[in-house]
Amino acid sequence: MRGADVMQENLFVTRTTADYVPAEHPLLAIREILNRALRDMDLLFESIYEERGRYSVPPERLLRGLVLQALYGIRSERLLCEQLGYNMLYRWFVGLSMDDVAWDHSTYTKNRDRLIEHEVVRSLFERVMQQAKDAQLLCDEHFSVDGTMIRAWASHKSFVPKDGPPPPSGGSRSNPEVDFKGQKRSNETHVSTTDPDAKLFAKSNKQESLPAYLGHVLMENRSKLAVDTRLTQASGKAEIEAALQMLRDLPGTKPKTVGADKNFDISEFVTGCRACNSRRTWRRTPTSTTPRRASVHAAEAALIAAPRGIPATR
């Protein structure tokens, strides 16, 4: 029998947002881990908010929303808040009930400085890592380091000379067309008006320079979990410096091995590894390309730093 196509809302609804979440959805486990970490941060949240005044959006919900944005690649906080209005999975994850109204995207703008000042995201990361340690999911011997370029929220035309007149522009006042053709620009002579901390950076000599930052990560090899992260300004030495800093912050004095790609195959990085509190070993894997000159020093350092019974290979 054909059903009737009647669009009529019920007066009362007894379902909750959790009823719309599949039983085997991966966000179930992620939410449990996240909530456990957020409960441990209760004293931190109490210290960064005033005792009087109007109630704010709970910081736990804001952080759950940021995790959703990272997991699903949502391009903006405006779009995230828009989807919180109709996506039942997202509403359940952040803690909104069927009747709650999603907060405005400007809430993140008003709370961002507070979250950054008190390093709330760093604290959340550390508590999640502590859960992994308590579950004995981490190894303290084998690690890898790497970096990546992160595009800044700035355009090429926002880069103007530090000294002298800006390049000629025309068109719309709100979004003018800037003519910088034929100009030689660098981080020493130009700066972005919209994001002064962003630097012009290219991943290789064959690619164009873009306003960017550099992200760095330290991975634990056996569990494949990220155990430390950094965000720095884009420069030629940022990858090496951030990697060495993360390695120095590793606890313990046991010998550790470090894996890295060819960009780290320089004597400065190998010497820095040897200077860390714990010994680091460097073993250069065979390659068909011609090694850089600094790789000779890397091989010599590896022969000295390699633990007994594990030969260092060139």
Side-chain angles (χ1 to χ4, degrees):
M1 180 181 294
R2 178 185 175 184
D5 184 19
V6 179
M7 299 293 294
Q8 182 177 356
E9 297 287 344
N10 293 328
L11 181 60
F12 299 103
V13 179
T14 58
R15 302 190 68 180
T16 65
T17 54
D19 297 331
Y20 296 92
V21 181
E24 302 297 330
H25 201 282
L27 281 183
L28 289 168
I30 295 176
R31 190 174 189 266
E32 180 61 30
I33 295 172
L34 188 58
N35 286 344
R36 194 181 311 165
L38 291 173
R39 285 194 295 269
D40 295 338
M41 298 171 60
D42 186 65
L43 293 179
L44 174 61
F45 294 143
E46 288 289 342
S47 66
I48 65 179
Y49 283 88
E50 297 290 342
E51 296 182 358
R52 297 177 297 176
R54 186 178 62 179
Y55 287 107
S56 66
V57 176
E60 294 89 343
R61 295 185 180 181
L62 295 178
L63 290 173
R64 293 191 196 103
L66 292 177
V67 172
L68 273 179
Q69 188 177 8
L71 290 176
Y72 286 90
I74 304 174
R75 65 177 182 269
S76 68
E77 292 157 356
R78 183 187 295 270
L79 183 58
L80 169 66
C81 294
E82 176 186 328
Q83 294 196 23
L84 286 176
Y86 56 80
N87 192 315
M88 290 298 174
L89 177 66
Y90 290 2
R91 292 178 68 88
W92 163 81
F93 188 84
V94 301
L96 292 175
S97 67
M98 297 286 289
D99 297 331
D100 290 333
V101 179
W103 57 85
D104 189 77
H105 65 90
S106 61
T107 305
Y108 281 108
T109 305
K110 297 177 181 178
N111 286 271
R112 181 173 289 107
D113 291 340
R114 178 187 287 117
L115 298 178
I116 294 176
E117 178 183 358
H118 295 275
E119 297 186 344
V120 173
V121 176
R122 168 64 64 175
S123 179
L124 176 62
F125 180 82
E126 292 175 352
R127 282 166 170 78
V128 172
M129 290 307 306
Q130 186 60 46
Q131 294 183 42
K133 293 178 182 178
D134 295 340
Q136 298 182 352
L137 298 177
L138 295 179
C139 170
D140 58 355
E141 296 178 351
H142 308 291
F143 300 89
S144 296
V145 291
D146 201 2
T148 184
M149 186 178 76
I150 300 177
R151 289 285 301 273
W153 198 255
S155 63
H156 269 290
K157 62 185 179 183
S158 69
F159 277 80
V160 298
K162 295 180 179 179
D163 300 320
S169 60
S172 172
R173 294 182 58 184
S174 60
N175 190 18
E177 299 175 358
V178 180
D179 183 13
F180 51 85
K181 185 177 181 180
Q183 292 185 0
K184 183 178 180 180
R185 301 188 300 171
S186 66
N187 293 320
E188 287 73 24
T189 59
H190 288 67
V191 64
S192 173
T193 56
T194 57
D195 191 353
D197 293 329
K199 301 294 182 182
L200 291 172
F201 186 79
K203 298 185 67 174
S204 67
N205 295 331
K206 298 181 180 180
Q207 295 182 347
E208 63 174 337
S209 297
L210 298 171
Y213 294 90
L214 287 182
H216 315 274
V217 63
L218 177 67
M219 301 290 296
E220 197 278 303
N221 289 351
R222 291 183 176 175
S223 63
K224 300 178 178 61
L225 294 176
V227 297
D228 202 353
T229 59
R230 294 286 193 277
L231 181 68
T232 65
Q233 288 185 315
S235 68
K237 293 186 177 181
E239 272 195 306
I240 302 299
E241 294 172 352
L244 291 176
Q245 184 61 48
M246 291 188 292
L247 292 173
R248 294 189 190 101
D249 292 343
L250 286 174
T253 58
K254 295 175 60 177
K256 298 175 175 63
T257 63
V258 180
D261 58 26
K262 191 176 180 181
N263 290 331
F264 293 85
D265 188 11
I266 60 176
S267 57
E268 180 181 355
F269 178 71
V270 178
T271 303
C273 288
R274 293 176 58 195
C276 292
N277 294 332
S278 301
R279 287 188 304 168
R280 267 68 176 178
T281 66
W282 178 274
R283 292 190 291 173
R284 192 174 188 283
T285 57
T287 178
S288 58
T289 59
T290 304
R292 290 187 286 175
R293 182 165 180 160
S295 64
V296 177
H297 303 287
E300 294 174 353
L303 289 172
I304 298 173
R308 185 176 301 177
I310 304 180
T313 58
R314 296 194 60 162

